[in-house]
Amino acid sequence: MITIALDAMGGDHGVSVTVPAALATLRHQTALKLILVGQREAIETELARHHATGGDHIAIHHASEVVSMDEPPAQALRSKKDSSMRVAINLVKEGAAQATVSAGNTGALMATARFVLKTLPGIDRPAIITTLPTMHDHVHVLDLGANVDCTPEQLLQFAMMGSILVAAVEGKSRPRVGLLNVGEEDIKGNDTVKKAHELLRASPLNYAGFVEGDEIYTGDMDVIVCDGFVGNIMLKTSEGLARMITHFIKQEFKRNLLTKLSALVALPVLQAFRKRVDPRRYNGATLIGLTGTVIKSHGGADALAYEHAILEAVAEVKNNVPARIGQELAAMAARGAVA
Amino acid sequence: MITIALDAMGGDHGVSVTVPAALATLRHQTALKLILVGQREAIETELARHHATGGDHIAIHHASEVVSMDEPPAQALRSKKDSSMRVAINLVKEGAAQATVSAGNTGALMATARFVLKTLPGIDRPAIITTLPTMHDHVHVLDLGANVDCTPEQLLQFAMMGSILVAAVEGKSRPRVGLLNVGEEDIKGNDTVKKAHELLRASPLNYAGFVEGDEIYTGDMDVIVCDGFVGNIMLKTSEGLARMITHFIKQEFKRNLLTKLSALVALPVLQAFRKRVDPRRYNGATLIGLTGTVIKSHGGADALAYEHAILEAVAEVKNNVPARIGQELAAMAARGAVA
């Protein structure tokens, strides 16, 4: 039985998303227990709305406070010791849960998780890693915003963590790792990227070299590494562009009666397409490099998206990701493969 | 009459793109003269293929050498004094042409243009600026790869140049300027971005503050500023994602007989959509900050895309962009608005 603590109050929609998502997940995951962490009354009311009464697979763990979405992380960490986020992370530390999922404030989640769980030996700072769709399959990209300034050594650590995660969860023995860089002939990136390139070449990883921005979506890599500044802008740019393209397609189909009729004919195809690029299917970023599993759901996630974040937590617990990262880093260090 | 020198040999396709594009442009631009710079024989052969014999609006200027697409910029600058690229830029310097367009090697073009034309007073380094489509209209983004490491002062210079370009070419009196940054609550960017933010707030520009990656495509800004590392990755990521989405739409419509039939019905709509996001319509990036107008076409541009790059050169010459940037920078400096 896997036990996961959900920060039931986190995100833009709180219990109205987390509770139905928990119930929906339990309908098809039988060896799973979910602990709903947060204000008991709010959770109970929401459970009742769904005619759910608890049972062996669902529990409520009361926490009186809520971290707001725009609260400064340092303040959340200092003054909200009984927040649903903090208590959920504590449950992982104490071993009462094997992972936690939160749709709350990213900065507060990162700060609290780092403070409570600590980073693995050999890891300076945790990173945020997520999955993006590609032409052929999908790719894991990190860091997506936890570290705006990175050293070459940190980029190497990100590459190692990403590689171990993909090996563990997807069973790929030698994940292909690329380092995001600019592609102009005269300027092969800044000093940090150049030094990270050398470190990666000397590492035991299956390093494929520099990749340019357009190679993120080709599917040629399993892991792509960048600093959190670039990663965050890359991710958000992609979200914005996908939204614009969807908007344009809708507009064109709504132009006149004829185009509206053709939309009816094309509807199944358009739905299949939308399903394929549905960001909800890719919801659930991992705070990687910690001693426990912490999954960040998008703040605006709906129940379907939140369910995907829970499933990501299940997959990482099943595959023992933090322990494997710890073991492999120790093994690499012992072999002298990394400084 | 506006005169533009085309690097006829530049790009992946050389004269087979540049010559027909020149002829197509002249069909609807009457007050324009194009000088085709490059190997006379190759250009004449291509003109003959199109049954064109020259005339008042088209001229050939022989240049014996060609800069290859992967040639190191320093080598091109040092050893290819008679390249089509170099000679075309020389024509601008000598006043024989008011602008040049090249689809050649970006690094070599930047190095040569900077060496021959020099930067405007008050500008440390030129930047690359281009137009991207947005939900409502379009946006100008710089730098797209000329400068991988930027100081806060350079970001301010980029903002000023972008703002003056938009004011000049589009007649907008107070272009809205945004500074690209990450959006997580705890980390409001790196030191460079924070300092640039302060400089921009103190400047006379219509500065709207930080924007996140997803705001590039909303159309709320006229100019978005970032360093060349981030800008290049943002641009290439967008190209890659757009390609993937188009690929997925095609795949879904090709799935079976029924979806193929619905594609026939939806064809006019899909074509209208494709036209709207057609990157060829946005071809033509400006090397901004030089004493003359230099337009970089995509290396793989076809004739339609290359024609758009020529039209961008025409618009900038008509609106006297480099001189206006020079004048406004001098005026700002005189008012003590910038250091």
Side-chain angles (χ1 to χ4, degrees):
Chain A
M1 177 83 89
I2 289 170
T3 305
I4 293 173
L6 307 182
D7 167 9
M9 316 304 289
D12 299 341
H13 312 296
V15 291
S16 70
V17 158
T18 57
V19 170
L23 295 171
T25 310
L26 290 172
R27 256 171 242 134
H28 56 85
Q29 292 282 317
T30 47
L32 178 65
K33 180 179 174 182
L34 296 174
I35 305 175
L36 300 166
V37 182
Q39 291 165 347
R40 182 176 296 278
E41 207 176 320
I43 296 168
E44 279 175 346
T45 306
E46 189 64 25
L47 280 171
R49 272 189 5 97
H50 295 274
H51 313 292
T53 50
D56 289 350
H57 291 275
I58 202 152
I60 301 175
H61 189 110
H62 181 68
S64 61
E65 294 171 309
V66 177
V67 174
S68 68
M69 292 304 274
D70 55 359
E71 193 158 343
Q75 184 184 306
L77 187 59
R78 202 178 332 107
S79 67
K80 292 214 172 147
K81 303 252 161 82
D82 199 38
S83 72
S84 54
M85 181 189 280
R86 176 75 166 262
V87 173
I89 297 171
N90 282 341
L91 291 176
V92 177
K93 187 184 164 66
E94 295 156 8
Q98 289 137 290
T100 183
V101 178
S102 174
N105 180 331
T106 308
L109 183 66
M110 179 57 91
T112 309
R114 209 182 152 194
F115 178 78
V116 174
L117 296 174
K118 313 296 180 203
T119 52
L120 288 161
I123 298 298
D124 297 338
R125 283 187 51 96
I128 300 175
I129 182 167
T130 198
T131 309
L132 293 174
T134 70
M135 291 234 197
H136 302 299
D137 196 353
H138 58 261
V139 63
H140 291 74
V141 185
L142 77 168
D143 174 35
L144 296 172
N147 309 279
V148 289
D149 286 304
C150 291
T151 62
E153 290 73 21
Q154 283 174 316
L155 292 174
L156 172 63
Q157 290 169 13
F158 297 170
M160 292 192 295
M161 294 193 291
S163 188
I164 297 166
L165 174 78
V166 171
V169 174
E170 306 193 350
K172 288 182 181 166
S173 63
R174 302 268 296 146
R176 293 154 301 174
V177 178
L179 180 61
L180 198 58
N181 195 5
V182 297
E184 301 302 340
E185 289 310 318
D186 59 327
I187 36 163
K188 292 235 161 55
N190 52 36
D191 284 346
T192 307
V193 164
K194 284 178 202 163
K195 280 179 202 152
H197 182 62
E198 294 310 315
L199 293 177
L200 281 160
R201 284 214 282 211
S203 80
L205 298 174
N206 184 10
Y207 177 55
F210 291 135
V211 292
E212 295 189 51
D214 55 346
E215 289 167 89
I216 292 171
Y217 294 104
T218 56
D220 296 329
M221 296 293 138
D222 297 304
V223 179
I224 292 178
V225 174
C226 56
D227 74 44
F229 192 90
V230 169
N232 181 282
I233 285 170
M234 181 281 296
L235 183 70
K236 295 232 163 122
T237 298
S238 296
E239 289 172 2
L241 178 59
R243 218 173 289 136
M244 182 181 83
I245 291 175
T246 311
H247 173 76
F248 282 172
I249 293 176
K250 274 190 198 156
Q251 262 192 347
E252 291 300 338
F253 274 112
K254 280 185 186 161
R255 198 167 284 282
N256 57 46
L257 189 62
L258 203 67
T259 60
K260 279 180 191 163
L261 285 172
S262 67
L264 280 182
V265 177
L267 201 61
V269 178
L270 294 175
Q271 279 171 339
F273 159 70
R274 276 180 66 179
K275 192 175 168 193
R276 208 156 157 183
V277 290
D278 189 348
R280 298 181 298 177
R281 292 176 57 216
Y282 294 93
N283 187 42
T286 306
L287 272 51
I288 200 167
L290 298 164
T291 62
T293 298
V294 180
I295 304 295
K296 166 73 174 89
S297 160
H298 202 287
D302 64 9
L304 178 65
Y306 196 84
E307 188 180 332
H308 276 279
I310 300 173
L311 296 176
E312 179 64 32
V314 171
E316 295 193 18
V317 170
K318 267 189 190 156
N319 292 292
N320 224 352
V321 171
R324 277 175 76 159
I325 292 175
Q327 285 155 15
E328 299 218 15
L329 285 177
M332 282 183 194
R335 288 200 304 272
V338 289
Chain B
M1 177 81 88
I2 290 170
T3 305
I4 294 172
L6 306 182
D7 168 10
M9 316 304 288
D12 299 341
H13 312 297
V15 292
S16 69
V17 158
T18 57
V19 171
L23 295 171
T25 309
L26 290 172
R27 257 172 239 134
H28 56 85
Q29 293 281 317
T30 47
L32 178 65
K33 181 179 175 182
L34 296 174
I35 305 175
L36 300 166
V37 182
Q39 291 164 347
R40 181 177 296 277
E41 207 175 321
I43 296 169
E44 279 174 346
T45 306
E46 189 64 27
L47 279 171
R49 271 188 8 97
H50 294 274
H51 312 293
T53 49
D56 290 349
H57 292 274
I58 202 153
I60 299 174
H61 190 111
H62 181 69
S64 62
E65 294 171 309
V66 178
V67 174
S68 68
M69 292 305 273
D70 55 359
E71 193 157 344
Q75 185 185 306
L77 186 60
R78 201 178 334 106
S79 67
K80 294 218 171 143
K81 303 255 160 79
D82 198 39
S83 72
S84 55
M85 181 188 281
R86 175 75 166 261
V87 173
I89 296 171
N90 281 340
L91 291 177
V92 177
K93 186 184 164 70
E94 296 157 8
Q98 289 136 291
T100 183
V101 178
S102 174
N105 180 331
T106 309
L109 183 66
M110 179 56 91
T112 309
R114 211 182 150 194
F115 177 79
V116 173
L117 295 174
K118 314 296 179 201
T119 53
L120 288 161
I123 298 298
D124 297 338
R125 283 187 50 97
I128 300 175
I129 182 167
T130 199
T131 309
L132 293 174
T134 71
M135 289 235 201
H136 301 300
D137 196 355
H138 58 261
V139 63
H140 291 73
V141 185
L142 77 167
D143 173 35
L144 295 172
N147 307 279
V148 289
D149 286 305
C150 292
T151 63
E153 290 73 22
Q154 283 175 315
L155 292 174
L156 172 64
Q157 291 168 14
F158 296 169
M160 293 193 294
M161 293 193 292
S163 188
I164 297 166
L165 174 77
V166 171
V169 174
E170 305 193 352
K172 287 183 182 165
S173 63
R174 301 269 293 146
R176 294 154 300 175
V177 178
L179 180 61
L180 199 57
N181 195 5
V182 297
E184 300 303 339
E185 290 310 318
D186 60 326
I187 36 161
K188 292 236 159 54
N190 53 34
D191 285 345
T192 307
V193 164
K194 283 177 202 164
K195 281 180 201 153
H197 182 62
E198 293 309 315
L199 292 176
L200 281 161
R201 284 216 280 213
S203 79
L205 298 175
N206 183 12
Y207 177 55
F210 290 134
V211 292
E212 295 189 51
D214 54 347
E215 290 168 89
I216 291 172
Y217 294 104
T218 56
D220 295 329
M221 295 293 138
D222 297 305
V223 179
I224 291 177
V225 175
C226 56
D227 74 43
F229 192 89
V230 169
N232 182 282
I233 285 170
M234 181 281 296
L235 183 70
K236 296 232 164 120
T237 298
S238 296
E239 289 172 4
L241 178 59
R243 217 173 291 137
M244 183 183 81
I245 291 176
T246 311
H247 173 75
F248 281 172
I249 293 176
K250 275 189 197 156
Q251 261 192 346
E252 290 301 338
F253 275 112
K254 280 185 186 159
R255 198 168 284 281
N256 56 46
L257 190 61
L258 202 67
T259 61
K260 279 180 191 162
L261 286 172
S262 68
L264 281 180
V265 176
L267 201 61
V269 177
L270 293 175
Q271 278 172 339
F273 160 70
R274 277 180 64 178
K275 192 175 168 190
R276 209 156 156 185
V277 291
D278 188 348
R280 297 181 299 176
R281 291 176 58 217
Y282 295 93
N283 186 42
T286 306
L287 271 52
I288 200 168
L290 298 164
T291 63
T293 297
V294 180
I295 304 294
K296 166 72 174 90
S297 160
H298 202 287
D302 64 10
L304 177 65
Y306 196 83
E307 189 179 333
H308 276 278
I310 299 173
L311 295 177
E312 179 64 32
V314 171
E316 295 194 19
V317 170
K318 267 188 189 157
N319 293 290
N320 224 353
V321 171
R324 279 175 75 160
I325 292 176
Q327 285 155 17
E328 299 216 18
L329 285 177
M332 283 184 194
R335 286 200 306 272
V338 290

